[in-house]
Amino acid sequence: MKGLKMTIAKHTINTILDTLGENDFVNVIAVRCTFNKSPYSQTQCYFLLVEELHVKGEAQIKNAMKESFKILNEARMNGQGSMCNQAIMLITDGAMEDFESVFEEFNWPERRVRVFTYLIGREMTFAQKTKWIACNNKGYYTHISTLADVQENVMEYLHVLSRPMVINHDHDIIWTEAYMDTLFYTKAQSLLLMTSVAMPVFSKKKETLSHGILLGVAGTDVPLMEVMKLAPRYILGPHGYAFLLNNNGYILAHPDLRPLYKDGKKLKPKPNYNSVDLSEVEWEDTEETLRTPMVKGQTGSMTLNIRASVDKGVRKFCTTKAF
């Protein structure tokens, strides 16, 4: 896979990565390729590593497939990841090996892991085998011969993954991460932290229900200060406060979260205001005893020693944190 094929393959990988959200987990396994020396690790920046891929040696697709199934099966057994769809995206210019034994060992008959195949280049010799891999593992086969084909063809896997959820009416309501936006009132406007709540709208016609046709998205913007009004202030005490974080541990609202800074007479948002972790603000939660159960959605209470903004933050007092 050299020249144009490698360029198409890289573009395909990057397009797939672009479809992933903050709740998705991903790993890249490259066969017949190596990574150039880089100051970045694989977990730090996949996009840079993809650009540095180059061909070396013979492809060992079967070994990569086994390793992929092992990683996904282990994650499922240990309750790791998002516990939703699991998929392998095989990007190749030719599947010459026989994978039936691998599927029998790791994926059949349950077929918990979907396998999507992308055949790169104009050559159609391996189309039948590549299609067989996808069709026998609840996936989807795509032939990408030019760079112009990438965007549209990559998006097909999303429709395949969404169909069972559409049929079972199991699609989630999504709350986005915090972002800055301007609210307009009668004569004034203000820059506020916002979140959006949205859900997909699919066709419910009987003749198209099994196709998972996406009609659009319904949603609305919600100021986070309106959400914080739901906190029971009357039981928090004189030094008590409520805060809000998402399922990835990032703060949505907190008294010590200062998302704006003054630039002359204007207030501007700080670059990383929407990726501040709870452990960076609740100073004494060094072992994440508070953060971890909150991210997991557990309920209860605990007592922690924290440093609160009393006497300019120099006094420490014990408070009960409820979650």
Side-chain angles (χ1 to χ4, degrees):
M1 190 184 293
K2 296 182 179 180
L4 180 59
K5 286 184 179 180
M6 177 58 81
T7 302
I8 296 173
K10 289 180 178 180
H11 188 34
T12 301
I13 296 171
N14 284 329
T15 304
I16 293 173
L17 292 174
D18 279 334
T19 66
L20 303 179
E22 61 178 9
N23 295 322
D24 297 317
F25 293 78
V26 64
N27 206 340
V28 176
I29 297 178
V31 294
R32 201 185 172 191
C33 297
T34 60
F35 293 107
N36 289 331
K37 290 183 179 180
S38 169
Y40 302 92
S41 67
Q42 290 189 33
T43 55
Q44 284 177 310
C45 191
Y46 282 116
F47 288 98
L48 286 177
L49 290 171
V50 169
E51 291 304 316
E52 295 176 359
L53 280 172
H54 65 274
V55 177
K56 183 179 181 181
E58 295 183 358
Q60 300 292 330
I61 300 178
K62 184 179 286 189
N63 291 339
M65 194 74 75
K66 287 181 179 179
E67 184 65 23
S68 300
F69 279 117
K70 287 178 181 178
I71 292 172
L72 293 173
N73 290 338
E74 183 178 345
R76 184 175 61 251
M77 295 296 292
N78 295 333
Q80 298 172 327
S82 52
M83 299 303 293
C84 191
N85 288 299
Q86 288 191 329
I88 294 173
M89 326 297 274
L90 176 61
I91 301 167
T92 180
D93 61 348
M96 294 178 286
E97 299 176 79
D98 184 6
F99 298 101
E100 189 168 349
S101 60
V102 178
F103 299 141
E104 287 178 348
E105 180 180 357
F106 295 99
N107 207 36
W108 291 351
E110 294 87 356
R111 292 173 170 81
R112 291 192 180 98
V113 179
R114 293 172 176 261
V115 182
F116 295 83
T117 56
Y118 297 87
L119 182 62
I120 304 299
R122 299 184 182 278
E123 180 61 52
M124 296 293 292
T125 305
F126 302 102
Q128 196 62 36
K129 182 170 285 188
T130 310
K131 185 183 296 183
W132 179 90
I133 293 171
C135 293
N136 283 276
N137 291 278
K138 294 184 178 180
Y140 190 86
Y141 159 78
T142 301
H143 180 218
I144 302 178
S145 57
T146 67
L147 284 170
D149 298 333
V150 173
Q151 187 71 31
E152 180 181 357
N153 289 329
V154 164
M155 294 304 170
E156 286 296 330
Y157 93 88
L158 295 173
H159 297 295
V160 176
L161 289 180
S162 68
R163 282 171 193 161
M165 294 186 287
V166 175
I167 296 171
N168 298 325
H169 303 284
D170 195 29
H171 38 271
D172 294 329
I173 295 175
I174 301 298
W175 291 82
T176 69
E177 70 279 2
Y179 62 90
M180 282 290 178
D181 202 356
T182 302
L183 279 186
F184 290 89
Y185 294 101
T186 52
K187 292 183 179 181
Q189 65 180 40
S190 56
L191 196 61
L192 297 174
L193 275 173
M194 307 279 289
T195 183
S196 293
V197 56
M199 65 178 297
V201 180
F202 294 97
S203 173
K204 290 187 177 180
K205 293 182 179 179
K206 291 183 179 179
E207 59 270 22
T208 60
L209 186 62
S210 61
H211 298 286
I213 298 177
L214 178 67
L215 299 178
V217 176
T220 185
D221 300 332
V222 182
L224 284 171
M225 64 179 184
E226 295 297 323
V227 179
M228 293 303 296
K229 288 180 181 178
L230 301 175
R233 295 179 180 276
Y234 60 91
I235 63 173
L236 293 178
H239 299 300
Y241 58 88
F243 58 88
L244 188 68
L245 69 156
N246 66 13
N247 61 312
N248 289 310
Y250 292 140
I251 289 175
L252 298 177
H254 193 285
D256 290 331
L257 179 64
R258 301 177 181 87
L260 300 175
Y261 73 97
K262 279 190 175 182
D263 184 12
K265 293 183 179 180
K266 293 183 179 180
L267 287 175
K268 292 186 177 181
K270 295 178 181 177
N272 297 315
Y273 68 89
N274 59 348
S275 58
V276 177
D277 196 275
L278 176 64
S279 59
E280 298 178 43
V281 177
E282 292 293 330
W283 299 343
E284 301 303 313
D285 190 26
T286 53
E287 297 182 2
E288 298 188 355
T289 53
L290 174 65
R291 180 187 182 277
T292 300
M294 291 188 70
V295 168
K296 290 183 177 180
Q298 300 175 7
T299 59
S301 63
M302 64 177 61
T303 300
L304 292 173
N305 290 322
I306 68 157
R307 189 183 300 275
S309 54
V310 178
D311 292 342
K312 298 183 179 180
V314 299
R315 280 205 300 128
K316 184 191 299 184
F317 65 94
C318 185
T319 184
T320 300
K321 294 289 185 179
F323 57 90

